């Protein structure tokens, strides 16, 4: 069973082809090019690298958020189009859960973070137990200082990963003794991790509807907030 996995939740563009037995190919890059420019060519390239025809795929797994509003929409739209055209199952994979699979290590609290702007981060923590990645809390939006403080109160080693680690934590905030940062090659989202979660979901029959699957935003976009500030009468009318 082979699936194509997509992660465009951040500035990183990542596409992979994987099966239960192996990761056949992965292309991950962070550049100034937009996902709308790179995603489709990368999908074609990674299938060629894996020597897998799109007609032989068993499903498409896509990172559904939280993360970049535009990136999530582009990734999900591409996944939906391929699934609709090839009549394939669509598997939505929570971004923070997929990231936690960088550290499938028992006895460690894995805290995944993605930039939510204005000194905040989308946050969720996990423990790996008996082959499962178990969420320890719901996704929240927290201030970075609050994140560091709460991690310091945990009675186990904590590892932080996500795009805010190199941008806003490493070398900028003091860390408690039990908290460490993921190294550079394990900080950012990867389609390989989306594929691992996607394969498990596909095997369990946990697939989505191509027509109505939506990204998990958690909060409204900055554009929506600014529009409401500039058009309070329209916002109030819509709330009635």
């Amino acid at each position: 069973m082979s699936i194509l996995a997509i992660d465009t939740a951040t500035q990183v563009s990542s596409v992979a082809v994987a099966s239960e037995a192996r990761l056949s190919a992965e292309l991950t890059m962070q550049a100034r090019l937009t996902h709308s420019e790179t995603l489709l060519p990368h999908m074609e390239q990674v299938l060629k690298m894996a020597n897998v025809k799109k007609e032989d795929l068993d499903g498409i797994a896509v990172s559904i958020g939280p993360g970049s509003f535009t990136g999530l929409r582009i990734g999900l739209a591409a996944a939906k189009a391929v699934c609709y055209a090839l009549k394939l199952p669509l598997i939505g994979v929570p971004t923070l859960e997929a990231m936690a699979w960088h550290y499938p290590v028992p006895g460690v609290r894995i805290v995944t973070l993605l930039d939510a702007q204005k000194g905040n981060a989308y946050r969720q923590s996990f423990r790996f137990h008996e082959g499962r990645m178990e969420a320890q809390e719901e996704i929240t939006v927290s201030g970075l200082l609050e994140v560091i403080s709460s991690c310091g109160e945990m009675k186990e080693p904590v590892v932080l990963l996500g795009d805010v680690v190199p941008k806003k934590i490493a070398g900028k905030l003091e860390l408690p003794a039990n908290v460490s940062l993921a190294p550079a090659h394990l900080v950012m989202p990867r389609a390989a991790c989306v594929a691992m979660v996607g394969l498990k979901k596909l095997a369990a029959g946990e697939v989505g509807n191509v027509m109505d699957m939506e990204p998990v935003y958690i909060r409204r976009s900055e554009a929506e907030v600014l529009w409401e500030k500039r058009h309070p009468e329209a916002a109030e009318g819509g709330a009635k």
Side-chain angles (χ1 to χ4, degrees):
M1 183 164 61
S2 293
I3 65 171
L4 177 71
I6 298 168
D7 196 315
T8 54
T10 66
Q11 292 180 333
V12 173
S13 175
S14 188
V15 185
V17 175
S19 65
E20 299 96 325
R22 65 176 181 169
L23 172 64
S24 300
E26 183 182 31
L27 178 56
T28 300
M29 65 175 290
Q30 184 173 5
R32 293 186 177 181
L33 296 175
T34 64
H35 293 308
S36 59
E37 295 176 275
T38 61
L39 181 56
L40 293 180
H42 286 175
M43 290 166 63
E44 294 179 0
Q45 186 175 350
V46 80
L47 285 167
K48 185 176 181 181
M49 291 164 58
N51 196 27
V52 173
K53 296 179 180 179
K54 59 181 182 293
E55 294 82 5
D56 295 331
L57 291 169
D58 296 292
I60 308 291
V62 60
S63 178
I64 58 171
S68 160
F69 286 63
T70 301
L72 292 171
R73 286 195 293 268
I74 291 172
L76 183 55
K80 284 184 173 183
V82 176
C83 287
Y84 183 79
L86 300 178
K87 296 180 172 59
L88 293 173
L90 175 64
I91 308 107
V93 175
T95 304
L96 298 180
E97 178 184 352
M99 289 172 59
W101 279 91
H102 279 304
Y103 277 85
V105 180
V108 175
R109 182 73 71 95
I110 307 130
V111 178
T112 54
L113 305 167
L114 285 178
D115 194 359
Q117 304 301 321
K118 299 181 179 179
N120 298 312
Y122 300 109
R123 161 194 173 165
Q124 193 171 26
S125 68
F126 299 84
R127 287 193 180 101
F128 183 72
H129 179 67
E130 296 182 350
R132 300 187 305 274
M133 193 62 71
E134 300 176 347
Q136 302 301 301
E137 60 189 0
E138 297 296 322
I139 301 171
T140 59
V141 178
S142 304
L144 292 179
L145 292 177
E146 178 187 344
V147 171
I148 300 300
S149 176
S150 63
C151 288
E153 296 173 359
M154 297 178 184
K155 298 178 180 180
E156 57 196 328
V158 177
V159 61
L160 304 180
L161 60 153
D163 59 355
V164 297
V165 169
K167 291 194 298 184
K168 299 180 180 180
I169 297 179
K172 299 177 179 67
L173 298 179
E174 185 176 351
L175 300 179
N178 66 317
V179 178
S180 61
L181 305 180
H185 66 291
L186 295 178
V187 166
M188 306 301 285
R190 283 182 56 192
C193 295
V194 175
M196 295 303 102
V197 180
L199 285 163
K200 293 178 183 295
K201 288 183 175 291
L202 181 59
E206 299 175 13
V207 300
N209 188 314
V210 172
M211 296 302 177
D212 62 17
M213 183 181 289
E214 295 290 339
V216 177
Y217 291 132
I218 304 299
R219 62 189 296 181
R220 296 180 302 159
S221 69
E222 191 68 17
E224 290 177 300
V225 174
L226 289 174
W227 189 90
E228 287 189 2
K229 286 182 178 179
R230 293 169 182 168
H231 304 84
E233 69 290 344
E236 290 174 3
K240 293 179 180 179

